[in-house]
Amino acid sequence: MSKVTPATRALEAAGVAFTVHTYDYDPDAESIGLQAAAALGVDPARVLKTLMAQVDGKPVCVIVPSDQEVSMKKLAAALSGKSAQMMKPPEAERVTGYKVGGISPFGQRKPVRTVIEQSALAHDEVYINGGQRGLQVRLKPDDARDVLKAVVAELVA
């Protein structure tokens, strides 16, 4: 497994301090984020999952703790939209350039608006997908927010 991905290159280019962590990815896991947290021995609230959605038909990247679910109503409201829905996996892969299970908010094919769950910022460090299945980057959540120019909002149901 390569530890250099478009995500790690984007973080390096932005001057963000991070460490790379690998784990055995289980494609059959019910929840990729929870499986990553268990494999890394980390609290699931500190492992953030990257989801791709659409708000009023426009792609958005959503970052929430792996043990939480996104409220589509709250997501739409956070971006002053009327409606939100999850993006279908093939569309998410096309938009981001990453495979499902390895989608990172960093280094996506085209930058899209990003929203991060406010509770994620309460941690000193968080884990976010590093752009490959079985690869996480650990960094300060404020650095993730800043480099992504993310909107911070309450997103969980």
Side-chain angles (χ1 to χ4, degrees):
M1 168 185 305
S2 173
K3 292 185 180 180
V4 177
T5 66
T8 59
R9 283 195 290 272
L11 287 169
E12 285 172 358
V16 172
F18 68 96
T19 55
V20 174
H21 301 266
T22 60
Y23 66 96
D24 289 328
Y25 172 80
D26 178 0
D28 299 320
E30 194 171 310
S31 166
I32 295 164
L34 293 178
Q35 189 257 325
L40 294 167
V42 179
D43 176 0
R46 290 183 53 215
V47 176
L48 307 182
K49 58 186 172 184
T50 305
L51 305 171
M52 296 304 294
Q54 293 179 325
V55 173
D56 295 343
K58 294 187 174 82
V60 296
C61 182
V62 185
I63 304 169
V64 296
S66 62
D67 60 350
Q68 300 289 317
E69 294 299 320
V70 177
S71 160
M72 290 297 128
K73 242 182 199 171
K74 289 180 180 181
L75 173 59
L79 296 176
S80 302
K82 291 182 180 161
S83 67
Q85 62 188 36
M86 293 303 298
M87 196 178 281
K88 295 198 179 336
E91 178 73 358
E93 291 178 349
R94 188 185 64 73
V95 169
T96 65
Y98 293 117
K99 295 276 181 215
V100 168
I103 292 179
S104 177
F106 310 108
Q108 291 189 1
R109 188 173 282 153
K110 293 183 237 166
V112 299
R113 287 189 77 188
T114 301
V115 187
I116 189 167
E117 162 58 36
Q118 66 186 13
S119 65
L121 300 181
H123 302 285
D124 291 339
E125 292 181 315
V126 294
Y127 293 77
I128 300 177
N129 194 290
Q132 195 173 79
R133 293 170 177 168
L135 185 73
Q136 296 278 320
V137 292
R138 185 178 73 201
L139 71 166
K140 290 181 169 58
D142 291 346
D143 288 345
R145 176 201 60 211
D146 294 349
V147 77
L148 294 167
K149 297 176 179 66
V151 172
V152 177
E154 185 182 333
L155 299 172
V156 296

